[in-house]
Amino acid sequence: MKQFLGLSLKLIKLEYIKKFIYLVPKVPRQVNIEASNRCNLNCKMCKRRELKIPETDIDFAKYKKIIDNLPKGVKEISFGGYGDPFMHPNIYEMIRYAKNSGFFVSITTNGFLFINHSNSANLIESGLDELRVSIEEVKENEINVIG
């Protein structure tokens, strides 16, 4: 009977082996795109100001070209970076374009730019799969609920 690390191969299931051995895939599962390096906040934890680069948004045509040329095997488009993706004037169209191209789409935001009815509706209609909200800090007695 064949042995692997002193154990019978009949006792080891392939699923267990995969948990201990990681093979680097030929293409990444996720691609992170910084839609904008602009932000509406100035959080203490963020190093954006230290970068000293001009504030800009990715060109929508360039973005579409990136999405169209991603290799097979990429499953997720994640928007994030040093800026808030919702600063980009075409972010909802960008989300829809990635969704229509078959990708799972996630976004990290500070959450302040879609808290009105119009932007909330656009966000829902865009088809976004996952929304992550980055919080700088929560102080006792300073929690306000926006309603």
Side-chain angles (χ1 to χ4, degrees), residues 21 46 51 58 64 68 70 76 83 89 103 106 108 118 120 125 136 142:
I21 300 172
C46 185
L51 295 176
I58 190 170
K64 289 186 351 181
D68 294 343
L70 287 173
E76 179 178 348
F103 295 102
S106 63
T108 302
S118 174
S120 297
E125 291 167 5
E136 179 182 18
E142 290 188 13

Side-chain angles (χ1 to χ4, degrees), residues 84-143:
D84 192 292
F86 288 100
M87 293 292 288
H88 195 290
N90 301 110
I91 190 62
Y92 301 110
E93 291 84 6
M94 294 168 77
I95 294 167
R96 277 192 285 278
Y97 192 83
K99 286 299 299 173
N100 291 338
S101 297
F103 295 102
F104 179 94
V105 181
S106 63
I107 200 164
T108 302
T109 176
N110 61 42
F112 282 93
L113 296 172
F114 63 86
I115 56 176
N116 65 49
H117 180 71
S118 174
N119 287 345
S120 297
N122 283 333
L123 181 62
I124 292 167
E125 291 167 5
S126 72
L128 184 70
D129 294 297
E130 184 176 280
L131 177 69
R132 295 182 298 266
V133 178
S134 178
I135 300 172
E136 179 182 18
E137 65 183 322
V138 176
K139 294 180 182 178
E140 190 175 344
N141 298 325
E142 290 188 13
I143 300 174

Side-chain angles (χ1 to χ4, degrees), residues 6-23:
L7 298 170
S8 169
L9 287 179
K10 277 191 166 185
L11 299 175
I12 301 175
K13 293 185 176 183
L14 184 59
E15 296 83 38
Y16 297 129
I17 294 173
K18 287 180 181 178
K19 290 181 181 183
F20 294 104
I21 300 172
Y22 177 74
L23 299 175

